[in-house]
Amino acid sequence: HSISAVFKPSWNPFTDVTESDWFYGAVRHAYEQNWILGTSNTTFSPELSTQRGMIVTILWRMEGQPEAAGVRDFTDVEEGRYYTEAVAWADKNGIAMGYGNNKFGPSDPVTREQLAAILYRYAQYKGCDTTAKADLSKFTDAAQVGSYAVEAIRWANAEGLVSGTSDTTLTPGGSATRAQAAVILTRFCQNIVK
């Protein structure tokens, strides 16, 4: 039998994640913690957007997958999906609410401001200090942040979780990729939920 010359770390089954990637360490951490799995046995798809159902599922897994019976039903959250219990838990605990009209949008891409708001509420749920507030005036698109997310974005930016997409833009309505989510969640666990 031949010996392959390509060294692949034992943790990494993904052909689209390499050690030179800016998100490598965070993807490794997220994968080893069983927060974010691959999109297939050999792909992580770092540039794909992260879905709303996935974000609440990751937080739910971090909490040990608690039961969350007896919450209102969202018409677009089917029984038996990977995110069903997680959405119920996040809704029951005020961590992630729906859009109104009994919709949660589990398959919709999570925006940067939604992710900030979900993590802000999760940090409060965990009893963490959420008083840090950044001045967003250097960002030319700060006025585009939804009113529900302003305090959350100020906190997430101050804590280094959601930085600008450039020196002068936040892009609050832009979607968070799977690589970005891995990095943000890893920072969150290292710096907020110590």
Side-chain angles (χ1 to χ4, degrees):
H1 59 275
S2 63
I3 297 169
S4 171
V6 178
F7 173 71
K8 195 111 175 91
S10 58
W11 81 268
N12 186 1
F14 305 124
T15 56
D16 54 2
V17 175
T18 63
E19 285 191 70
S20 59
D21 291 325
W22 62 271
F23 48 78
Y24 177 84
V27 167
R28 176 178 183 166
H29 187 73
Y31 179 74
E32 288 179 337
Q33 296 293 322
N34 213 30
W35 299 340
I36 308 179
L37 310 177
T39 50
S40 77
N41 289 337
T42 56
T43 55
F44 184 79
S45 306
E47 296 307 314
L48 273 187
S49 59
T50 310
Q51 297 177 332
R52 286 168 51 83
M54 174 54 69
I55 285 296
V56 296
T57 299
I58 293 165
L59 299 182
W60 178 69
R61 287 175 183 158
M62 287 164 60
E63 281 300 299
Q65 304 184 4
E67 291 282 325
V71 293
R72 73 166 186 260
D73 290 329
F74 293 106
T75 56
D76 58 355
V77 176
E78 299 165 32
E79 282 301 316
R81 302 299 298 268
Y82 77 86
Y83 51 70
T84 306
E85 281 289 313
V87 169
W89 166 79
D91 179 58
K92 179 181 180 182
N93 290 288
I95 294 163
M97 284 71 92
Y99 296 134
N101 300 328
N102 289 347
K103 301 273 191 228
F104 185 83
S107 300
D108 293 351
V110 70
T111 65
R112 291 164 52 81
E113 68 178 25
Q114 287 171 5
L115 182 55
I118 289 167
L119 289 177
Y120 180 66
R121 293 187 204 121
Y122 180 63
Q124 291 174 328
Y125 167 82
K126 297 289 284 180
C128 302
D129 178 5
T130 56
T131 56
K133 299 284 183 271
D135 175 5
L136 302 180
S137 59
K138 70 176 183 176
F139 297 112
T140 56
D141 56 359
Q144 294 172 19
V145 176
S147 57
Y148 78 93
V150 171
E151 290 304 300
I153 283 265
R154 290 184 64 203
W155 166 80
N157 186 257
E159 293 289 2
L161 298 174
V162 177
S163 47
T165 49
S166 76
D167 288 343
T168 57
T169 54
L170 270 171
T171 320
S175 61
T177 66
R178 287 166 55 82
Q180 288 168 345
V183 169
I184 290 167
L185 287 160
T186 298
R187 284 181 190 153
F188 180 83
C189 288
Q190 289 169 342
N191 303 327
I192 312 296
V193 187
K194 299 184 181 73

